[in-house]
Every structure is written in C-alpha cells, then in structure tokens.
Amino acid sequence: MSDFFTSSVLVATFASAIRLATPYLLASLGETIGQRSGVLNLGVDGVMLLSAFFSYWTVLQTGNLWLAVVVALAVGIIMGVLYGIITVFFEATQGISGIGIFIFGLGFSDLMFRQQVGTPKPVQRLPSVDIPVLADIPYIGEPLFQRSLLTYLAFALVPLTFLLLNKTTFGLNIRSVGENPQAADSLGVSVERTRFAAILIGNSLAGLAGAALVLQLGIFQPNLTQGMGFIAVALVYFGAWRPLGVMGGALLYGLVNATVLQWKSLGIIPVSISDLAGMAPAIVTIGALILLARRVNAPAALTKPFSRH
Amino acid sequence: MNDQSNNLLEMRGITKYFPGVVANSDVDFDVRYGEVHTLLGENGAGKSTLVKILFGLYQADKGDLLLRGEKMEISSPSDAISSRIGMIHQHFMLVPTLTVAENVALGMPSTRRPLTDLDKVSKRISEISEEHGLTVNPSETVAHLSVGERQRVEIIKALYRDAELLVLDEPTAVLTPKEVDDLFVILRRMADNGRGLIFISHKLREVMSLSDRITVLRNGQVVGATTPDQTSREELAQMMVGRAVRLTPDLPPNEVKESRLSLNNVSVKNDSGTLAVDNVSFEVRAGEILGIAGVSGNGQREIAEAIAGLRTIEPDGLIEINGSNVSDTNTRSRRDQGLGFIPEERVPDGAIPEFTVGENLILVDHETDDFVSRGLFSFDKISEHSSQLVSDFNVKTPSVNTPTSSLSGGNIQKVILARELSASPSVLLACQPTRGVDIGAAEYIHNRLIEQRELGTATLLISEDLDEVLGLSDRVAVMYEGKVIAVVSGEDAEREKVGLLMAGVTETVDA
C-alpha cells in the first residue's frame, strides 16, 4: 500500500483519472442538456460504440486523427436525428427507444468491426498538448495541463453548458420544455424544435465521447464501452442535472477507476479478485446515488412525450 | 381606440368537429373594445374549444375569424400572441422552477441575443405591476408564490406581450373571495383602458358581477345572449342546462342525534413533511352535514385523507368512527366501521377509468360473498346489482359493461356516489362532490346528500364551492392554514363573513 502513496504514483493516478473521466464527462454533459429538455436518452452507450468504431476505422484507413473526431461527431448527429424523429415526432416511449438505439449501436459496431477489421490493431492515440508554463507546474502540471484537446474541450464545456442552460434564451427554452412543455407551447416556444436541438447536442457530445474513448486507448474491440454510456446517464442523476455536479460525478468515477487500475498494477489488489474490484466504480456510483436520491429534482416533464391533444 | 361601434374580435359561423362530437356548431361571437364579454356554459358546451381556436391551439373546420375588422388565420399560439391576443389558462401555464422574470421572458425575443435580458424584463414587469396594481417580485421563483400571485404573473405575462384581447379561462377557480374581488377590479380597469376581455366561467355570481355582455353556449351552440341587467342567475342556469334548475338546495329541518365521527387534536403532515392540519378537533353527528369551507390548500385534502385512512396522523391525535378509535387502522377497517368516502379526485382516486361501470360499482365489495362464488366472480350477480344502481342513481351509460372513462365527469361521480351510498354509510366523507360536474348532476348529487342526512348519516362535506357549503351545511367549519378558525351554524353563515374567514380575517366577525 505504501507504494501507492508516493508522489509519482499519485500524480500518475490523478492524471489517469482525468483521462478516464473525459468520455464520461462529454457524454454526461450532453445527456444533461437532453434531459433538461425532458428527453431521456438511454442509447448513449450505443452512440458511443458507433462513433468509437467509426473514428477508429477512420484512423485505420487514413491515419488522420482529426478526421476521426469529425466522423465521430457526424455519427453522433446522425444518431441524434434518428432519436429525435423517434421520440419527438413519433412521441415514442423514451426508455425503450433508447434501449433500441443501444442495441443497434452494440450490434452494428460489432458487425462492422468483424466485417471490416477482424482482429484488433492498435492505431495512433490522441497526442497530449502541453499548455505553456502551466504544464511545468510540479504535481498538477502533468494531470491537468498535459492532456489531449478533447479533455480540454470536455472540461471547458462544463462552464459553457452552465451558461447555455442558465444565461441564454435557448437555455431558458430548454429548461421550460423540460419542466412544463404546455406552458412553453402557450408562449409560442416550439417544444418539438427545442427538444430536437437538445437531442442533437446531446448525441453530438456522446459521439465525441466515443472518439475520446477510442482515441485515448488507441484500439477498438467489440463492446468497447462496457456500459460507460449507461454510467454517463447515471452521472446526470448523480450531478442533479447540473454541469458542475455532473463533472464531480465524472471525476469521482474516473478517480475510483484509476485507483483500482493502479492498485491492480501495484499488486495491492490480488489478481484473484481483480475482476471483482472492477465493480468498485459501479458500487461507488450506486451508493452515492442512494445517498443523494432524496435531494434531487428531476425535470418535471422528463420522459414525457409532448402533444397538444 | 375606444371606438365602441367597432368590434375588436368577430368569430362567425365557427364549427369544429372532434371524432364523434361537434364541439362548436356555427358559433357567432364578438368582442368590442372596452368590454368584458362572458362565455357561459356547462363543461363540454364548447367554450374552451372556441377560445382554443382563437388562440391557435385548434383549427376551426368552418367559419371566419376577424380581428380589428380584418380576416385572420391564427394557426399557432405565436400567431395569436403577435396579433396581441393573450390567454390566461385555467391551469396556470407557468414553469414553477423558473423565476417570475424568466417565465415572463419565455418565448420573447431578447435584446441581448443569444443571452437573456432579464434585467430589462424585470424593470418592465415592475412598471406593469405599478400601472395595474399587480404586485409581484420579478426575481422570485414561481414555486414559492401563492396561487393569487401566480394568477398575477399570468396577467403580467399577457400585458408584457401587449395583449389587447385577453381570454380568461375560469380564472377564479382557485382564488379566495377577496382575491376574486381584487382580480375583478384589475380586469375592469383593463377593460376601461380599451382592452377587450373574454371571461369564461360557470360561476353565475361572478358572471353577473363582472360581465358587460353574456353569451351562453350549450352542446356547442349559442343558445342565448344577454346582459346582466336583463337576466338573473336562475335564468342563466336555465339557459345553460336547458331546463329549470334550483341553484340553492333547500335544507329541511332535521333531527340531529349522537356523534358519529369525532376528531380530537388531529395534526397531519403533507407530502413535503410540513404540518398541513394543525391540532384540529370537531365532531359530526348523525343527521347533520358539517361543511368545511376554505380556499384550496389550507389542509382540507390532508384532513380528508387522514379520516379516510390514506394518510397517517401525528401520534397524539384521535379519530373515532361510531365510538371506536380508528386512528391507526387501514381504510378497509374504517369502511367496515361504516365510513363512506367520495374522494376529491374522481379519477383515479374514486374510480378506475379503465374498468367498466359495473366493476367500479362493486370495487369496494368485490371480495364479499355477494359477488363471489367458489373463488370466482359471479357475473350475473354483479350485472344485476350494478344495473340496479345505474337505474337508481340515474347514471347515463350505454351499459354496465361500458368503460368508465367514456362517461362524463358528472356520470362518473354518480357511479362513485352510487357505490358509496349503496353501502348505507353511517359516516359519509364527501370531498368536492360536484367539482367540474354539470349543474343538473350537481343538483342531483345535492339532493342525494340531503336524503342521506334525513336517513341519519353523519356527513362531512369538504368543498371549495362556497355556495355549496353554505347551501348544504347545518354547520360550517372554516379552515385556514391548517386550523379550524371558526365554526358557525348554517343559518348564521353569511357569505361575506365566511369569505373573510376563508382569507384568515377573524377580527370583524363579531361586528
């Protein structure tokens, strides 16, 4: 255990926590925006799998990482359009539609991988970009300021999401259609358009989350996410639908994950129970959700399709 | 602007079909500048459909709409708002988690796009507040406002959008008599400033006091147009229903006997854990109706649920039915003690809408030998029993096998009444027994309650309709902020006095 409490190991653990938190944070911020508009998307994991595969494939074919990110974004937007049509225009039940999107994403990414790639081949990873001066600060320079652009983007999106939701007219529309769509409708705010836009933003961020995941690992395999998208949905509840709270959840999750990985490699956790220890992050999340369950206020119209009649 | 000869609004020959129903049939309706024009009618008479067409929520199948003399197509609420039509909906169209200013700004262009301009909005709200006497704090969250304040926010929303034609759909349903008076002063002033107001109501007293003109709808058609000085409440009721109705029930003298229901120091918490009923004691005796008057949200719902056994009371309280302590017993054993219960929410608390009329009629007794033989339902017995009740209680239904959801509100209420009264309750708890039901059905229900009183039932009547409480009760208890602040005998219960008590004013009562 004493091996763990050395400054180099702690810094490395913290750095890996930030890295691991990135895909969760991107996906949860997107899901937060969607849920604040009243739309639950349980398909996040499927969208992440699809975007992860297609951005991996793009790197395999072209070697261009930034093209891979653009492709992931495009996959997110396409899935957003699909989910928007299903839930907003056909007013389908959101829970089951999201599960459908997940199963589609899981199956289709698997199929494409087997058809087009077969055996996993590593690709180049997202380079880390040092921020001048700050990157050289002892202890915190490495974890915070020697990261990839997608990580910087994810954390920059926390205040931006806050501003979007609380300080813009679009954010006011999002919050009102998530709480009382009839009221918004009576004032001429288009519930359909607002929700559709929120779904598109949410799915775009899920797409970026997929890219962040695969391009940090540098490799793809079937079911790469192993339920990360579902954790991202849970983190929205954990964070009480607020960007800062969601970030706290993503960081906690990243930290528990990183610690477990570190302990495994240091032998603190014996190999015989290492699979069991892999459950720790999920248990921490469930525990936190139970503790926080009483104080949270979900958007009143969450999961409720809107129609005038 | 005050050209009285010109119509602000003209609706001509409006016809609207819904599957199987003609909601509006060739309706003509107009509003002049500077007047309050009332649309009066029963539920389902077509009032709401007509104004929803005006506000762009529905499209008319036939007919023309002229605004300020020009033909208009209004296909959405945004069209209506930009044509300076404002609507105050029966159920508040507010987002409770947002502030007053955010609610007002919603859907309006901002001067600081894409950011909101809430400072400017707040300033304008304060100006409107001052001009019209609508006091409200723009930065307060709507969830923290009283019902009366929310109503003001709704009006401010319309004025902020510079509405010239204002539709008010049953705006007084949730207000105290005092708040209604204040609202009417504001509305009258708005009309005097040249605006046109459409007032929708079925409360005849209010209609008579506020309206310049009255148009009565029945079954989707205009059946009459008049003014308050040419008509009376009785005549209006007759126009609405299509036959003569007695508005205030006659309460014949009756012999009052022993105490049947008694509450001692009963306190009850509401869902959010605060005290909704605060140390209340009273008793209801055989052969009397005790009415509880009060503005919605002063503990009536919680006390009813406590008596019915749906909500636990605080430890030191005591509820007795026919002398036995039922404080900690469940609903079933309270029913076995002789309690009948007509809940506030007809659906889903009083009847299960997906079930048939027959099934709802046996819902309480469905496990008894009357309807079960060898573990299975005996459908012959059920059908015989429920057919009898349907005819006894005048329920209008195609058959006892009709799903209850396809009945009108008044008929669902009769189903519940039939089920509860057929068990010959010795204590009857009747909550809002005529809310949202037609005048005809209300008259019937009132007569049934009086009949029960003559049979010696002890009835606790909880109602927000003050006329109903005053007309039916031997004694009136007024609830305010969880306390019974006064009990007056039926003969002494004057409308004004009880109205003041409902607002918590006790000082002037002795005067």
Side-chain angles (χ1 to χ4, degrees):
Chain A
M1 196 61 164
S2 60
D3 296 345
F4 182 68
F5 290 103
T6 58
S7 63
S8 64
V9 173
L10 284 177
V11 166
T13 308
F14 190 32
S16 114
I18 300 272
R19 186 170 50 80
L20 289 171
T22 300
Y24 290 113
L25 184 54
L26 285 167
S28 313
L29 286 174
E31 180 69 8
T32 301
I33 294 171
Q35 290 201 12
R36 287 299 284 271
S37 82
V39 183
L40 171 72
N41 182 6
L42 287 178
V44 176
D45 204 57
V47 177
M48 284 175 71
L49 280 169
L50 285 173
S51 61
F53 170 75
F54 280 102
S55 59
Y56 170 75
W57 198 32
T58 306
V59 185
L60 268 185
Q61 302 292 323
T62 68
N64 187 334
L65 284 171
W66 296 112
L67 183 62
V69 173
V70 171
V71 165
L73 193 63
V75 170
I77 291 172
I78 291 166
M79 295 311 287
V81 170
L82 184 65
Y83 193 62
I85 290 171
I86 293 170
T87 56
V88 176
F89 294 111
F90 291 114
E91 295 164 21
T93 309
Q94 292 171 11
I96 207 69
S97 310
I99 301 278
I101 295 273
F102 161 65
I103 292 172
F104 170 73
L106 177 68
F108 193 63
S109 61
D110 195 346
L111 175 74
M112 287 296 288
F113 178 76
R114 286 175 207 282
Q115 289 279 319
Q116 302 294 328
V117 185
T119 45
K121 287 176 235 147
V123 294
Q124 62 182 119
R125 300 183 194 187
L126 273 185
S128 56
V129 177
D130 292 6
I131 304 221
V133 188
L134 296 174
D136 301 326
I137 302 174
Y139 303 119
I140 62 162
E142 190 199 333
L144 295 182
F145 303 112
Q146 300 180 19
R147 304 260 63 92
S148 74
L149 288 177
L150 280 183
T151 300
Y152 295 140
L153 174 69
F155 284 87
L157 280 172
V158 175
L160 287 177
T161 305
F162 176 85
L163 286 178
L164 172 79
L165 286 174
N166 295 297
K167 299 288 172 193
T168 67
T169 51
F170 178 53
L172 186 58
N173 291 351
I174 288 178
R175 287 184 287 144
S176 64
V177 302
E179 290 286 345
N180 188 348
Q182 279 73 24
D185 182 50
S186 77
L187 294 175
V189 174
S190 166
V191 178
E192 288 86 356
R193 250 183 275 164
T194 307
R195 286 189 168 174
F196 204 93
I199 290 171
L200 279 188
I201 296 174
N203 278 264
S204 307
L205 292 184
L208 286 181
L213 175 68
V214 78
L215 298 179
Q216 282 177 350
L217 286 169
I219 199 149
F220 185 89
Q221 64 181 44
N223 194 17
L224 179 73
T225 53
Q226 303 198 0
M228 285 176 77
F230 289 97
I231 300 293
V233 175
L235 290 178
V236 175
Y237 288 76
F238 176 93
W241 293 269
R242 272 145 192 83
L244 205 61
V246 165
M247 183 181 82
L251 281 174
L252 176 69
Y253 211 79
L255 193 63
V256 177
N257 256 319
T259 307
V260 169
L261 287 174
Q262 194 67 258
W263 284 3
K264 274 190 200 171
S265 70
L266 290 174
I268 295 172
I269 301 172
V271 180
S272 55
I273 62 154
S274 71
D275 285 346
L276 211 57
M279 286 165 48
I283 292 168
V284 168
T285 309
I286 290 168
L289 279 174
I290 292 169
L291 287 177
L292 296 173
R294 291 201 149 264
R295 73 172 170 106
V296 295
N297 283 313
L302 185 60
T303 75
K304 292 188 186 122
F306 172 78
S307 72
R308 271 190 193 155
H309 303 289
Chain B
M1 172 169 118
N2 259 319
D3 189 355
Q4 297 277 342
S5 62
N6 279 342
N7 283 333
L8 173 53
L9 170 76
E10 248 181 275
M11 296 175 92
R12 287 189 201 141
I14 300 289
T15 301
K16 173 74 185 171
Y17 305 101
F18 287 120
V21 198
V22 187
N24 283 157
S25 165
D26 202 20
V27 172
D28 291 330
F29 183 72
D30 63 70
V31 181
R32 298 175 194 141
Y33 290 97
E35 75 163 355
V36 179
H37 191 163
T38 292
L39 265 177
L40 180 68
E42 298 260 68
N43 295 308
K47 304 167 301 201
S48 288
T49 305
L50 189 66
V51 293
K52 279 183 175 163
I53 289 169
L54 171 61
F55 201 62
L57 289 166
Y58 294 154
Q59 306 307 311
D61 293 311
K62 263 187 240 157
D64 292 328
L65 197 153
L66 284 83
L67 203 60
R68 301 176 190 90
E70 279 174 49
K71 213 169 150 182
M72 295 281 297
E73 290 285 336
I74 296 178
S75 55
S76 73
S78 347
D79 285 358
I81 291 165
S82 58
S83 307
R84 298 178 63 199
I85 301 172
M87 179 139 170
I88 303 202
H89 299 262
Q90 187 175 0
H91 305 287
F92 291 153
M93 288 292 186
L94 295 170
V95 185
T97 51
L98 302 184
T99 65
V100 171
E102 284 176 324
N103 267 287
V104 173
L106 188 57
M108 294 293 283
S110 163
T111 52
R112 291 172 60 221
R113 260 178 77 86
L115 299 180
T116 48
D117 55 351
L118 294 177
D119 291 344
K120 250 188 199 162
V121 175
S122 301
K123 218 175 129 217
R124 180 83 189 105
I125 291 173
S126 303
E127 287 168 18
I128 294 171
S129 300
E130 205 155 310
E131 189 184 341
H132 295 271
L134 296 154
T135 323
V136 69
N137 173 7
S139 55
E140 185 66 84
T141 304
V142 166
H144 300 153
L145 298 181
S146 73
V147 171
E149 286 170 316
R150 290 183 199 203
Q151 178 81 268
R152 277 178 244 155
V153 178
E154 286 286 23
I155 296 172
I156 288 171
K157 262 164 65 182
L159 293 175
Y160 187 91
R161 286 159 177 76
D162 203 17
E164 189 174 35
L165 175 63
L166 205 61
V167 183
L168 299 120
D169 191 358
E170 310 221 358
T172 61
V174 288
L175 302 184
T176 65
K178 171 78 168 66
E179 284 173 325
V180 171
D181 291 345
D182 293 348
L183 176 68
F184 282 6
V185 171
I186 291 162
L187 296 183
R188 176 45 63 193
R189 198 188 306 164
M190 285 166 56
D192 291 344
N193 286 340
R195 291 188 173 81
L197 274 66
I198 301 174
F199 179 64
I200 299 179
S201 182
H202 61 254
K203 293 187 181 172
L204 299 170
R205 194 184 297 279
E206 293 175 357
V207 168
M208 292 293 285
S209 90
L210 182 68
S211 314
D212 294 305
R213 286 193 291 156
I214 301 164
T215 292
V216 185
L217 289 180
R218 188 169 73 231
N219 297 331
Q221 288 174 313
V222 174
V223 291
T226 180
T227 59
D229 47 2
Q230 286 169 4
T231 188
S232 64
R233 287 167 60 208
E234 285 70 21
E235 192 184 61
L236 288 176
Q238 181 160 356
M239 282 204 268
M240 281 166 78
V241 184
R243 63 175 172 83
V245 271
R246 194 186 298 153
L247 286 172
T248 20
D250 278 337
L251 209 57
N254 199 29
E255 192 186 347
V256 176
K257 294 183 188 131
E258 78 281 2
S259 167
R260 287 270 179 85
L261 169 71
S262 87
L263 278 75
N264 261 310
N265 305 324
V266 170
S267 296
V268 189
K269 282 181 178 159
N270 62 16
D271 293 334
S272 49
T274 53
L275 217 53
V277 177
D278 186 1
N279 202 15
V280 164
S281 304
F282 58 75
E283 59 176 23
V284 190
R285 288 163 295 180
E288 80 165 345
I289 297 178
L290 174 67
I292 292 192
V295 182
S296 150
N298 275 287
Q300 300 97 312
R301 174 192 289 261
E302 287 80 7
I303 206 164
E305 289 177 352
I307 296 170
L310 298 169
R311 196 176 274 279
T312 47
I313 62 171
E314 296 305 294
D316 36 358
L318 180 68
I319 300 176
E320 287 180 321
I321 294 175
N322 289 319
S324 62
N325 180 359
V326 296
S327 309
D328 300 317
T329 62
N330 62 18
T331 49
R332 162 60 64 191
S333 64
R334 293 183 201 206
R335 281 188 179 278
D336 292 343
Q337 290 291 336
L339 178 71
F341 179 37
I342 299 170
E344 181 174 338
E345 305 288 340
R346 254 195 303 283
V347 171
D349 294 350
I352 300 173
E354 293 80 12
F355 280 21
T356 65
V357 170
E359 285 168 332
N360 270 305
L361 280 169
I362 63 155
L363 210 50
V364 177
D365 305 313
H366 60 277
E367 288 172 315
T368 62
D369 290 342
D370 292 349
F371 306 116
V372 180
S373 62
R374 292 195 209 96
L376 297 175
F377 276 139
S378 159
F379 287 101
D380 290 345
K381 285 185 195 164
I382 293 173
S383 142
E384 190 188 328
H385 171 81
S386 43
S387 303
Q388 185 64 44
L389 286 182
V390 161
S391 83
D392 284 356
F393 282 80
N394 227 348
V395 182
K396 279 183 205 126
T397 173
S399 87
V400 293
N401 297 318
T402 306
T404 309
S405 56
S406 63
L407 268 55
S408 74
N411 281 302
I412 297 177
Q413 193 71 342
K414 283 186 196 168
V415 169
I416 298 168
L417 194 75
R419 182 185 68 214
E420 298 300 322
L421 297 191
S422 63
S424 313
S426 66
V427 176
L428 179 66
L429 175 56
C431 303
Q432 320 291 351
T434 61
R435 180 157 74 186
V437 311
D438 296 345
I439 292 184
E443 186 188 28
Y444 179 85
I445 292 167
H446 287 161
N447 289 337
R448 280 287 185 163
L449 292 179
I450 294 170
E451 200 179 294
Q452 283 296 310
R453 174 177 171 266
E454 276 156 20
L455 291 170
T457 302
T459 303
L460 181 64
L461 169 72
I462 300 181
S463 174
E464 279 155 30
D465 180 347
L466 187 51
D467 288 322
E468 176 171 88
V469 172
L470 295 179
L472 282 177
S473 307
D474 295 286
R475 291 184 299 143
V476 178
V478 183
M479 275 193 87
Y480 178 72
E481 293 186 345
K483 291 191 166 79
V484 170
I485 59 166
V487 181
V488 284
S489 80
E491 298 109 55
D492 300 344
E494 288 158 30
R495 220 175 177 278
E496 288 67 29
K497 184 163 119 182
V498 176
L500 282 172
L501 285 167
M502 284 165 68
V505 182
T506 46
E507 297 85 62
T508 54
V509 169
D510 298 330

